[in-house]
Amino acid sequence: MPKKGNPAAAEGEEVPSKQRKTDPNGVPPPLSFTSPTSLFESLIAPLGLQEFFQEYWEKKPLHLQRSDPGLATYYRSLFQLSDLKALCAQGIEYDRDVILCRCVNGKKKVISKQGRVNHSHLKKDFDQKKVTIQFHQPQRFQDELWQIQEKLECFFGALVGSNVYITPQGSQGLPPHYDDVEVFVLQLEGEKHWRLYQPTVPLAREYSLEPEERIGSPTHDITLKAGDLLYFPRGTIHQADTPVGVDHSTHLTISTYQKTSWGDFLLDVFPSFLFDSMKSDITMRAGLPRKLLTFASPPPGTTKQLCSFMRDLADKMEQGQLEPRSAGMKRDFVSSRLPPFLQDDSAATPAGKMPALGDLVCMRFTDHILVTVEPSEDRTDEAVAELVVFLLHSLSNSRETHMMGNEGEEEEEEKQGSQGLRFALSHLPALKQLLSGERHLVADLQLEQDADKLNLALSLWSEGLLTVC
């Protein structure tokens, strides 16, 4: 569903960040926050990155059994049953933050509640009704999870969400089902018994329940212990319960790659393909045959003509005449992802001295910046629309609303204009130059006029994206 943790600043620049947890002996956590790649590598260790993507990603489940007490202790620190008391005191609410559910006779039973969560009532339901507590998007409250998920969003280039599931012994929260996301399960407390089944819809694009009589026998029967990790691809049918004799189980699901397929990308880029082709190809601007829209089925020749258009689009793309421009997916990602993991709001404020033509400059938070090329929003004639460059970033995003659906949607729409900068298409080479990660003199930026070079540097500096090295 996706991007951090001490984002890389300019070389030699100190970027303030929150303190990560250490154990009482001052031992650093077992996850590496040096870079997005190092974080993911440490998450799936001892398995290597190449082996994971070649053998498991989108292909089959992976169970990593850990016997490392340090890792188990660290996982437990990410979220515990005991954390709920303090969270209830913060004013968390049913439905938005917490759902109570239980699997009864193969069906999901939701304990309907509204309003603020009372901890004593919550504990009573947990102990007596044997409900599973599903806590939504804990990264909104827990700094370490914010840091982990922000780094993972940088690594995958996709949104990364999470849920915590706390289940009492001898109970199951959800019936067999499959999800539309890649799932990483971190066992935090106790044990959880998992059964995985062959997908009925491989790499599914939606969530769905599956009746027991349809799914057959499990392909994997696994018991996760604290410190273990389980990965399975979207579409994998699964169910899980806490064994009798285990006080309770707490696990965290980290999920990503919702609607991030080739098909979704085609849906995003095809409108721009067609728009560009219609400007240059008169045959695509020719009118439809009379009454085409009134036929129940396309008349003879329609399919042939459409295939001809498609082949022509493919030829132009191979020849470099058309460029696949993603705008919708990029904008959705950058506007919805987590902000940089920082101690304060310094990310969105200018850093250091104001740049001048003779200054050596470099970009900040490059993992949080995306560039799109789109038709101008103020066009009046689509046939001659001017292309412009938008530089989008997530420095001002809200951690509190991350992955919370339509919550604050109006505010997000109003914020769109402040999440990026608009430049003429002629500025694209200079932007690519700066985003390469190298230092550049303002005077050496690939623009003709010195005034344009300085204005570009000042615009990025004012947005908190550029600093003088």
Side-chain angles (χ1 to χ4, degrees):
M1 218 145 334
K3 75 103 222 10
K4 291 200 164 204
N6 298 335
E11 186 178 343
E13 178 193 0
E14 292 289 335
V15 175
S17 64
K18 292 178 179 290
Q19 291 294 317
R20 291 190 283 104
K21 292 182 177 178
T22 58
D23 69 15
N25 297 318
V27 178
L31 299 184
S32 169
F33 292 87
T34 305
S35 69
T37 299
S38 71
L39 184 278
F40 187 74
E41 286 177 329
S42 62
L43 188 68
I44 63 170
L47 192 71
L49 196 65
Q50 183 176 358
E51 183 180 357
F52 173 77
F53 282 102
Q54 285 184 349
E55 301 295 328
Y56 296 97
W57 177 254
E58 295 190 330
K59 296 181 182 70
K60 61 183 180 181
L62 166 69
H63 176 206
L64 293 177
Q65 295 177 282
R66 273 79 174 258
S67 56
D68 181 353
L71 186 59
T73 301
Y74 175 74
Y75 273 18
R76 189 177 303 115
S77 74
L78 297 179
F79 202 100
Q80 304 176 58
L81 173 62
S82 58
D83 291 338
L84 290 173
K85 187 173 184 178
L87 287 167
C88 288
Q90 293 183 38
I92 60 174
E93 297 183 5
Y94 287 109
D95 193 37
R96 183 191 68 185
D97 303 307
V98 172
I99 287 179
L100 306 182
C101 59
R102 188 178 180 190
C103 179
V104 180
N105 297 323
K107 295 183 179 180
K108 179 181 178 180
K109 181 181 180 181
V110 176
I111 311 301
S112 181
K113 290 179 177 288
Q114 298 293 327
R116 290 185 60 167
V117 181
N118 178 285
H119 182 257
S120 61
H121 294 166
L122 180 67
K123 193 69 168 61
K124 184 178 179 180
D125 287 334
F126 183 75
D127 293 335
Q128 297 182 6
K129 297 182 180 179
K130 300 296 181 182
V131 298
T132 287
I133 301 171
Q134 179 180 346
F135 192 88
H136 295 154
Q137 308 303 332
Q139 73 278 4
R140 296 176 295 137
F141 303 91
Q142 219 280 15
D143 285 349
E144 198 81 349
L145 290 176
W146 171 16
Q147 185 179 24
I148 289 170
Q149 290 177 232
E150 183 229 15
K151 267 283 194 283
L152 290 177
E153 284 185 338
C154 290
F155 177 76
F156 285 110
L159 295 177
V160 175
S162 69
N163 283 319
V164 165
Y165 296 86
I166 309 175
T167 305
Q169 67 169 318
S171 185
Q172 179 170 331
L174 299 172
H177 66 282
Y178 60 78
D179 298 299
D180 58 347
V181 287
E182 302 295 305
V183 175
F184 296 85
V185 179
L186 280 60
Q187 187 66 30
L188 309 183
E189 293 182 303
E191 298 179 6
K192 200 67 173 281
H193 172 226
W194 287 80
R195 285 165 287 169
L196 311 182
Y197 305 80
Q198 190 70 26
T200 53
V201 184
L203 301 183
R205 296 194 72 247
E206 58 188 4
Y207 165 92
S208 180
L209 299 174
E210 285 284 28
E212 290 270 8
E213 60 269 17
R214 185 181 176 190
I215 61 179
S217 300
T219 57
H220 298 73
D221 194 301
I222 296 167
T223 297
L224 291 186
K225 298 182 180 181
D228 285 359
L229 178 142
L230 174 65
Y231 158 80
F232 50 86
R234 55 193 187 276
T236 302
I237 302 167
H238 56 279
Q239 59 179 326
D241 62 272
T242 301
V244 175
V246 176
D247 181 69
H248 69 276
S249 164
T250 303
H251 78 260
L252 171 77
T253 63
I254 296 177
S255 57
T256 189
Y257 258 60
Q258 185 179 52
K259 297 182 179 178
T260 315
S261 67
W262 279 111
D264 294 301
F265 187 68
L266 281 171
L267 287 171
D268 189 34
V269 302
F270 242 83
S272 66
F273 277 172
L274 297 174
F275 177 78
D276 291 344
S277 293
M278 288 175 68
K279 289 193 296 182
S280 59
D281 188 347
I282 191 172
T283 61
M284 294 192 72
R285 301 201 300 271
L288 293 171
R290 288 186 307 105
K291 294 189 174 183
L292 174 63
L293 301 180
T294 64
F295 289 102
S297 299
T302 302
T303 300
K304 182 178 180 180
Q305 181 62 67
L306 289 175
C307 288
S308 176
F309 286 143
M310 299 289 281
R311 280 191 291 268
D312 186 52
L313 286 172
D315 290 342
K316 288 180 178 177
M317 185 164 54
E318 284 188 343
Q319 295 165 10
Q321 299 176 33
L322 287 176
E323 182 179 354
R325 297 196 308 268
S326 171
M329 289 181 72
K330 281 190 173 185
R331 283 184 173 273
D332 179 65
F333 172 49
V334 77
S335 66
S336 303
R337 65 185 296 191
L338 283 162
F341 180 81
L342 294 175
Q343 190 171 13
D344 49 38
D345 295 329
S346 62
T349 57
K353 61 166 286 192
M354 183 182 298
L357 275 175
D359 285 328
L360 199 64
V361 296
C362 42
M363 297 293 285
R364 308 170 71 219
F365 311 110
T366 53
D367 283 338
H368 285 260
I369 298 173
L370 294 178
V371 171
T372 70
V373 177
E374 305 172 32
S376 172
E377 293 178 346
D378 56 9
R379 61 184 181 270
T380 56
D381 182 357
E382 292 194 354
V384 292
E386 176 190 11
L387 293 177
V388 294
V389 177
F390 288 94
L391 185 143
L392 312 170
H393 64 80
S394 56
L395 271 59
S396 302
N397 285 7
S398 168
R399 169 197 180 186
E400 288 72 24
T401 59
H402 181 248
M403 299 299 291
M404 290 300 289
N406 295 326
E407 185 172 316
E409 185 173 351
E410 292 183 2
E411 290 83 354
E412 289 297 320
E413 289 178 356
E414 292 176 0
K415 195 174 68 174
Q416 288 295 324
S418 65
Q419 282 189 316
L421 300 169
R422 170 178 161 167
F423 300 100
L425 190 61
S426 59
H427 285 55
L428 184 58
L431 288 170
K432 289 182 177 179
Q433 191 179 0
L434 288 167
L435 289 170
S436 67
E438 300 176 357
R439 301 178 177 191
H440 296 276
L441 284 172
V442 175
D444 290 341
L445 295 179
Q446 295 177 19
L447 286 164
E448 291 186 4
Q449 303 296 324
D450 284 348
D452 290 335
K453 299 174 184 178
L454 185 57
N455 285 337
L456 173 60
L458 289 173
S459 296
L460 297 173
W461 175 81
S462 298
E463 200 81 358
L465 301 173
L466 179 142
T467 186
V468 175
C469 305

